[in-house]
Amino acid sequence: DAAWRLQDKTAGCSWVLHNPSLEETRQGTSTERFVASPLMAEALAVREALLQAKALHLTNICLKSDNQVLIKALSSKQHPVELYGINLDIENLSLSFTSISFAHVPRSLNSAADALAKSALYSLNS
């Protein structure tokens, strides 16, 4: 998930990786500057989540996001112009996994990632 601040074009990105077979959850955050839009912030969070999953040698991924526009773009491989480069990165990273799917989830089911993203964004002020 991502949280974006218009004033300084900064984003807080977060990811929660849950492995149900091991009953294990890992999470992390990053901050990004010069992010043009909330949609771009979400795409950056997805790219970072996939990088983390790849580093953990995960093979089967179901990536879930509460951003319908992004999930539709990733599923259809029709990239909005503003996301073209980032979505190509995501597409190339996707090749690292045996299977990958993209699914939309309601925001209410993404509250842990949402809280992490907001925390990452607002920690820049501290």
Side-chain angles (χ1 to χ4, degrees):
D1 198 29
W4 182 73
R5 189 169 44 221
L6 174 63
Q7 297 85 344
D8 59 0
K9 306 267 195 243
T10 301
C13 299
S14 68
W15 55 93
V16 176
L17 301 174
H18 178 67
N19 186 337
S21 62
L22 298 178
E23 295 184 19
E24 176 182 51
T25 300
R26 293 184 185 221
Q27 59 191 30
T29 63
S30 67
T31 54
E32 304 287 338
R33 297 188 183 271
F34 312 109
V35 178
S37 68
L39 183 59
M40 183 178 285
E42 294 281 348
L44 289 167
V46 166
R47 182 177 67 184
E48 188 59 34
L50 292 179
L51 286 167
Q52 295 299 319
K54 181 180 176 181
L56 291 169
H57 306 289
L58 300 178
T59 56
N60 301 304
I61 303 289
C62 177
L63 191 132
K64 299 175 184 179
S65 171
D66 59 19
N67 190 299
Q68 282 184 309
V69 173
L70 181 59
I71 292 301
K72 185 176 180 181
L74 294 172
S75 297
S76 69
K77 297 186 180 182
Q78 294 183 344
H79 311 298
V81 172
E82 73 174 292
L83 300 182
Y84 188 77
I86 297 167
N87 280 9
L88 283 181
D89 288 349
I90 292 168
E91 208 172 289
N92 286 331
L93 276 167
S94 296
L95 300 173
S96 305
F97 304 101
T98 303
S99 73
I100 186 166
S101 60
F102 300 97
H104 174 259
V105 293
R107 183 165 293 177
S108 62
L109 296 179
N110 205 25
S111 58
D114 181 59
L116 285 170
K118 286 177 180 166
S119 174
L121 179 61
Y122 297 117
S123 71
L124 284 176
N125 292 336
S126 311

